[in-house]
Amino acid sequence: MIRSRYILLVIVLLGCGLPGYGQPFFDLLNARKLMGPGSLGSPSAGRNLRSEYDLLAVNVPVPLQKSPSRTLVLAPYADRWLVNATDSNLALRGYGIPVNLLWSLDSSRWELLTSVIFRWNAFEATLRDPSQYGMAVMLGKRYSNNLRLRYGIYANREYFGRWVLPLLGVDWTWKNGTRVFGILPASLTWERHLSKHWYHGFTYRSATTSYRIPENRYLRINETQFGAFVDFYPLPFLAVNAEAGHSLFRNCRAGLVDTRGLDVPVRDTWYLRFGISIRKRLDR
């Protein structure tokens, strides 16, 4: 019975990337909410769910050296998954403290990012829960004023085992106010500058995460999202975001910690996402 309750957490997933890296802006404070229907089970006998995801994240840059530049970025965050079904409600909580160090090399043509990530993901998580540790290293090169590429690797100790991914970052500016940026395979965004106050575009996200649940078990969620968004800047430092899209290739597994687990039948669905950020754009 306990296991079946946690399977209800099969819902849309919003992944978090490396804070402030691989994008033309830096969010000092970011709050967002994702909502959408969901379903569990086969198409003919599934259960309908309503899910919500809340995130509050802070990025604190600490300059360590001016030339060549050395910057420490502390990026604590807290998130919550809430799933409402006809007969029960369930919440998973997570906390994270990524510690990032950005080095400028060779007169800013080359840059190096090292990141250590401390995470606590569990049912009603507290800082006493078993934690997950991860790291990322990325080396970036500016090929021209309009193109910068980054190469790296990400590794994390998830509850289902070790998780390692190669990373490819891109930041490509076109002449008509269009920009393509992101860190693959986690995210890629096509953004167009419409006016002083408006941006719009399309975005892709893909993420894998896991949560500790009772009886020494875990829930793993793999999610890919495609969406269209609009950003409104009522003030130069304030961004309001709205996005709508659909999930693809959703896959979930549940099992004992450090085992492969079993597949959970889920279906893709639509989602809505809203956010507000205190933001410093780097392209103005």
Side-chain angles (χ1 to χ4, degrees), residues 15-284:
C16 298
L18 299 175
Y21 198 65
Q23 56 192 25
F25 50 79
F26 185 90
D27 287 340
L28 295 172
L29 177 66
N30 180 20
R32 63 177 181 252
K33 187 178 190 68
L34 184 146
M35 299 176 293
S39 59
L40 173 67
S42 63
S44 60
R47 298 182 64 186
N48 293 323
L49 311 173
R50 181 173 58 85
S51 61
E52 299 179 10
Y53 174 78
D54 301 300
L55 172 75
L56 180 64
V58 178
N59 291 301
V60 182
V62 181
L64 300 179
Q65 183 175 312
K66 187 174 181 180
S67 182
S69 175
R70 305 284 189 271
T71 303
L72 179 70
V73 181
L74 303 177
Y77 70 88
D79 65 2
R80 181 188 70 161
W81 294 95
L82 179 63
V83 173
N84 298 306
T86 55
D87 56 353
S88 63
N89 297 322
L90 186 62
L92 289 180
R93 300 181 187 275
Y95 308 100
I97 309 177
V99 180
N100 309 283
L101 184 59
L102 182 61
W103 309 63
S104 291
L105 309 173
D106 188 22
S107 301
S108 297
R109 185 184 180 193
W110 290 87
E111 63 185 14
L112 176 66
L113 174 76
T114 58
S115 181
V116 179
I117 306 163
F118 304 92
R119 299 167 59 207
W120 294 264
N121 285 356
F123 169 69
E124 298 296 346
T126 70
L127 297 183
R128 297 186 301 272
D129 287 311
S131 56
Q132 301 163 301
Y133 304 96
M135 56 79 64
V137 178
M138 295 198 76
L139 181 65
K141 180 180 179 181
R142 178 170 56 85
Y143 289 89
S144 69
N145 291 332
N146 297 326
L147 179 63
R148 185 185 294 271
L149 297 179
R150 301 172 174 93
Y151 314 92
I153 189 169
Y154 168 83
N156 191 62
R157 180 66 172 86
E158 295 284 350
Y159 291 124
F160 55 81
R162 293 180 177 85
W163 182 247
V164 181
L165 283 175
L167 303 175
L168 173 63
V170 59
D171 188 355
W172 183 20
T173 304
W174 301 353
K175 293 182 179 180
N176 62 352
T178 300
R179 196 162 191 155
V180 176
F181 58 89
I183 299 178
L184 294 169
S187 67
L188 190 67
T189 298
W190 179 93
E191 179 193 70
R192 186 177 182 187
H193 183 196
L194 293 175
S195 67
K196 179 181 178 180
H197 298 287
W198 293 94
Y199 290 76
H200 79 124
F202 301 93
T203 187
Y204 148 87
R205 297 187 197 88
S206 180
T208 294
T209 192
S210 60
Y211 287 84
R212 186 75 172 261
I213 58 178
E215 300 181 353
N216 198 36
R217 306 182 69 84
Y218 74 89
L219 177 67
R220 170 178 173 170
I221 309 174
N222 304 296
E223 177 82 3
T224 300
Q225 295 176 351
F226 291 93
F229 71 90
V230 60
D231 286 345
F232 172 57
Y233 288 79
L235 298 171
F237 59 85
L238 186 64
V240 179
N241 168 264
E243 178 181 323
H246 200 277
S247 65
L248 292 174
F249 314 119
R250 177 179 298 167
N251 174 261
C252 295
R253 303 184 70 87
L256 294 173
V257 170
D258 290 328
T259 68
R260 188 171 184 271
L262 298 175
D263 285 327
V264 178
V266 292
R267 299 195 297 274
D268 295 305
T269 188
W270 298 94
Y271 70 88
L272 294 174
R273 177 179 179 266
F274 303 96
I276 187 168
S277 303
I278 298 176
R279 175 174 295 177
K280 168 65 175 177
R281 288 204 68 100
L282 307 177
D283 53 0
R284 291 181 175 177

